[in-house]
Amino acid sequence: MDFYPLISDFFQRHLETTSLAVDGLAETTGTAVEQAAQSILNECKLFSIGLGADCAGATALASLLHRGILRERPSLPVVELAEHHIESVETGVNWAGQQIQALGQQGDVAFIFAASLGEPQIQRLAVALEQRQVGAIWIGNRGPGLSMTIADENVETRLTLNGALAICLARLIDTHTFGPMGD
Protein backbone atom coordinates (compact mmCIF):
# COMPACT_ATOMS: atom_id res chain seq x y z
CA MET A 1 0.00 0.00 0.00
CA ASP A 2 1.26 3.49 -0.86
CA PHE A 3 0.88 5.60 2.29
CA TYR A 4 2.25 8.79 0.78
CA PRO A 5 -1.15 10.22 -0.33
CA LEU A 6 -2.67 9.54 3.09
CA ILE A 7 0.27 11.11 4.90
CA SER A 8 0.34 14.09 2.57
CA ASP A 9 -3.40 14.64 2.96
CA PHE A 10 -3.15 14.45 6.75
CA PHE A 11 -0.39 17.04 7.00
CA GLN A 12 -1.81 19.34 4.35
CA ARG A 13 -5.25 19.37 6.00
CA HIS A 14 -3.85 20.08 9.46
CA LEU A 15 -1.31 22.66 8.29
CA GLU A 16 -4.04 24.56 6.42
CA THR A 17 -6.37 24.43 9.43
CA THR A 18 -3.60 25.62 11.76
CA SER A 19 -2.64 28.43 9.41
CA LEU A 20 -6.25 29.63 9.12
CA ALA A 21 -6.75 29.37 12.90
CA VAL A 22 -3.96 31.80 13.80
CA ASP A 23 -6.09 34.95 13.40
CA GLY A 24 -8.80 33.57 15.67
CA LEU A 25 -6.41 32.19 18.28
CA ALA A 26 -3.79 34.95 18.59
CA GLU A 27 -5.66 37.31 20.92
CA THR A 28 -6.98 34.54 23.17
CA THR A 29 -3.57 32.88 23.34
CA GLY A 30 -1.96 36.18 24.33
CA THR A 31 -4.53 36.65 27.10
CA ALA A 32 -3.91 33.09 28.34
CA VAL A 33 -0.15 33.69 28.44
CA GLU A 34 -0.60 36.90 30.45
CA GLN A 35 -2.90 35.11 32.94
CA ALA A 36 -0.40 32.26 33.34
CA ALA A 37 2.57 34.57 33.82
CA GLN A 38 0.65 36.66 36.35
CA SER A 39 -0.24 33.52 38.28
CA ILE A 40 3.42 32.44 38.35
CA LEU A 41 4.64 35.88 39.42
CA ASN A 42 2.00 35.93 42.21
CA GLU A 43 3.44 32.63 43.51
CA CYS A 44 0.41 30.63 42.40
CA LYS A 45 0.52 27.52 40.27
CA LEU A 46 -0.58 26.34 36.87
CA PHE A 47 -2.50 23.15 36.19
CA SER A 48 -2.14 21.27 32.92
CA ILE A 49 -5.15 18.95 32.62
CA GLY A 50 -5.79 16.29 29.99
CA LEU A 51 -7.64 12.98 29.99
CA GLY A 52 -7.39 10.16 27.44
CA ALA A 53 -6.30 11.49 24.05
CA ASP A 54 -6.04 15.01 25.52
CA CYS A 55 -3.29 13.77 27.83
CA ALA A 56 -0.62 14.40 25.17
CA GLY A 57 -1.17 18.18 25.06
CA ALA A 58 -1.32 18.47 28.84
CA THR A 59 1.86 16.43 29.28
CA ALA A 60 3.72 18.44 26.64
CA LEU A 61 2.79 21.78 28.24
CA ALA A 62 3.70 20.63 31.75
CA SER A 63 6.98 19.06 30.64
CA LEU A 64 8.10 22.13 28.70
CA LEU A 65 7.28 24.44 31.61
CA HIS A 66 8.73 22.19 34.33
CA ARG A 67 12.09 21.45 32.84
CA GLY A 68 12.82 24.58 30.84
CA ILE A 69 13.57 22.53 27.72
CA LEU A 70 13.46 25.65 25.57
CA ARG A 71 16.28 27.25 27.60
CA GLU A 72 17.97 27.01 31.00
CA ARG A 73 15.79 28.63 33.68
CA PRO A 74 14.08 27.78 36.98
CA SER A 75 11.31 25.18 36.93
CA LEU A 76 7.82 26.67 36.90
CA PRO A 77 5.06 25.64 39.34
CA VAL A 78 2.98 23.36 37.11
CA VAL A 79 0.78 20.53 38.37
CA GLU A 80 0.21 17.96 35.65
CA LEU A 81 -3.19 16.28 35.90
CA ALA A 82 -2.95 13.99 32.91
CA GLU A 83 -4.22 10.45 32.80
CA HIS A 84 -4.05 8.36 29.65
CA HIS A 85 -5.29 5.07 31.10
CA ILE A 86 -8.76 5.95 32.36
CA GLU A 87 -11.63 3.51 32.69
CA SER A 88 -14.00 6.10 31.24
CA VAL A 89 -14.15 9.83 30.65
CA GLU A 90 -16.49 10.07 33.65
CA THR A 91 -13.93 8.37 35.91
CA GLY A 92 -11.21 10.68 34.61
CA VAL A 93 -13.31 13.80 35.15
CA ASN A 94 -14.12 12.67 38.70
CA TRP A 95 -10.41 12.12 39.40
CA ALA A 96 -9.39 15.50 37.91
CA GLY A 97 -12.17 17.27 39.84
CA GLN A 98 -10.98 15.69 43.10
CA GLN A 99 -7.39 16.78 42.37
CA ILE A 100 -8.53 20.34 41.67
CA GLN A 101 -10.54 20.36 44.91
CA ALA A 102 -7.50 19.15 46.85
CA LEU A 103 -4.81 21.30 45.21
CA GLY A 104 -6.49 24.33 43.66
CA GLN A 105 -6.27 27.78 45.24
CA GLN A 106 -7.49 31.22 44.33
CA GLY A 107 -5.17 32.73 41.73
CA ASP A 108 -4.13 29.42 40.16
CA VAL A 109 -4.70 28.97 36.43
CA ALA A 110 -5.71 25.71 34.72
CA PHE A 111 -5.10 24.81 31.09
CA ILE A 112 -7.70 22.18 30.28
CA PHE A 113 -7.04 20.22 27.09
CA ALA A 114 -10.61 19.30 26.24
CA ALA A 115 -10.81 18.25 22.57
CA SER A 116 -12.33 14.89 23.48
CA LEU A 117 -14.58 16.10 26.32
CA GLY A 118 -18.31 16.60 25.94
CA GLU A 119 -20.42 19.39 27.40
CA PRO A 120 -21.34 17.47 30.62
CA GLN A 121 -17.68 16.73 31.41
CA ILE A 122 -16.65 20.32 30.68
CA GLN A 123 -19.35 21.62 33.02
CA ARG A 124 -18.31 19.25 35.83
CA LEU A 125 -14.68 20.36 35.59
CA ALA A 126 -15.79 24.00 35.38
CA VAL A 127 -17.72 23.65 38.66
CA ALA A 128 -14.66 22.21 40.44
CA LEU A 129 -12.45 25.02 39.09
CA GLU A 130 -14.98 27.70 40.04
CA GLN A 131 -15.37 26.32 43.58
CA ARG A 132 -11.62 26.64 44.13
CA GLN A 133 -11.47 30.00 42.26
CA VAL A 134 -9.01 28.61 39.71
CA GLY A 135 -8.95 30.45 36.38
CA ALA A 136 -9.86 28.22 33.43
CA ILE A 137 -8.36 28.23 29.94
CA TRP A 138 -10.02 25.65 27.69
CA ILE A 139 -8.01 24.28 24.78
CA GLY A 140 -9.60 22.31 21.95
CA ASN A 141 -13.18 22.88 23.07
CA ARG A 142 -15.32 25.67 24.45
CA GLY A 143 -15.80 26.02 28.19
CA PRO A 144 -16.78 28.78 30.59
CA GLY A 145 -14.10 31.44 30.56
CA LEU A 146 -11.29 31.70 28.05
CA SER A 147 -11.41 29.17 25.18
CA MET A 148 -8.83 28.44 22.51
CA THR A 149 -10.38 26.27 19.82
CA ILE A 150 -11.38 26.15 16.21
CA ALA A 151 -15.10 25.85 15.59
CA ASP A 152 -16.64 22.92 13.81
CA GLU A 153 -13.49 20.83 13.41
CA ASN A 154 -13.32 17.12 14.14
CA VAL A 155 -11.58 15.78 17.24
CA GLU A 156 -8.50 14.66 15.26
CA THR A 157 -7.93 18.20 13.99
CA ARG A 158 -8.49 19.72 17.44
CA LEU A 159 -6.04 17.24 19.02
CA THR A 160 -3.43 18.06 16.38
CA LEU A 161 -3.84 21.78 16.99
CA ASN A 162 -3.69 21.20 20.77
CA GLY A 163 -0.18 19.79 20.44
CA ALA A 164 0.98 22.88 18.59
CA LEU A 165 -0.80 25.15 21.10
CA ALA A 166 0.90 23.39 24.02
CA ILE A 167 4.34 24.12 22.55
CA CYS A 168 3.37 27.68 21.60
CA LEU A 169 1.97 28.37 25.08
CA ALA A 170 5.09 27.00 26.78
CA ARG A 171 7.34 29.17 24.63
CA LEU A 172 5.24 32.31 25.14
CA ILE A 173 4.83 31.79 28.92
CA ASP A 174 8.58 31.30 29.19
CA THR A 175 9.29 34.45 27.14
CA HIS A 176 6.69 36.57 28.96
CA THR A 177 7.95 35.44 32.36
CA PHE A 178 11.74 35.44 31.78
CA GLY A 179 12.24 37.70 28.75
CA PRO A 180 13.19 36.95 25.13
CA MET A 181 15.20 33.86 24.26
CA GLY A 182 18.43 33.96 22.35
CA ASP A 183 17.96 31.79 19.24
Side-chain angles (χ1 to χ4, degrees):
M1 176 173 200
D2 181 12
F3 288 105
Y4 185 85
L6 296 172
I7 295 166
S8 175
D9 178 61
F10 174 87
F11 279 100
Q12 183 168 347
R13 183 169 24 103
H14 294 301
L15 288 171
E16 286 175 8
T17 301
T18 302
S19 178
L20 294 171
V22 170
D23 290 340
L25 293 172
E27 185 177 335
T28 307
T29 302
T31 302
V33 167
E34 288 173 347
Q35 286 181 13
Q38 190 62 43
S39 180
I40 292 165
L41 295 173
N42 287 334
E43 298 184 7
C44 295
K45 59 193 162 302
L46 304 177
F47 289 94
S48 188
I49 302 170
L51 305 169
D54 286 306
C55 182
T59 300
L61 178 63
S63 181
L64 289 168
L65 292 177
H66 270 293
R67 294 176 186 89
I69 292 171
L70 301 174
R71 67 171 157 185
E72 182 123 357
R73 57 143 175 86
S75 182
L76 296 177
V78 182
V79 177
E80 180 183 322
L81 299 179
E83 184 58 52
H84 181 70
H85 300 288
I86 54 175
E87 293 176 26
S88 69
V89 175
E90 295 303 318
T91 302
V93 168
N94 287 341
W95 170 77
Q98 290 169 351
Q99 296 301 305
I100 292 164
Q101 289 292 328
L103 302 170
Q105 297 175 357
Q106 183 177 2
D108 293 345
V109 172
F111 289 92
I112 308 100
F113 291 82
S116 61
L117 296 182
E119 186 64 28
Q121 293 88 24
I122 289 171
Q123 289 305 317
R124 287 196 14 241
L125 284 174
V127 167
L129 292 163
E130 186 178 313
Q131 287 175 343
R132 299 301 295 172
Q133 298 179 347
V134 173
I137 299 168
W138 302 89
I139 303 170
N141 217 329
R142 298 212 183 281
L146 201 57
S147 297
M148 299 182 335
T149 189
I150 45 180
D152 302 325
E153 288 295 336
N154 64 36
V155 71
E156 179 185 81
T157 301
R158 291 193 319 258
L159 286 168
T160 302
L161 183 60
N162 283 1
L165 279 168
I167 296 166
C168 179
L169 284 164
R171 182 177 185 87
L172 293 173
I173 291 167
D174 187 295
T175 301
H176 191 67
T177 306
F178 296 103
M181 291 184 225
D183 287 324

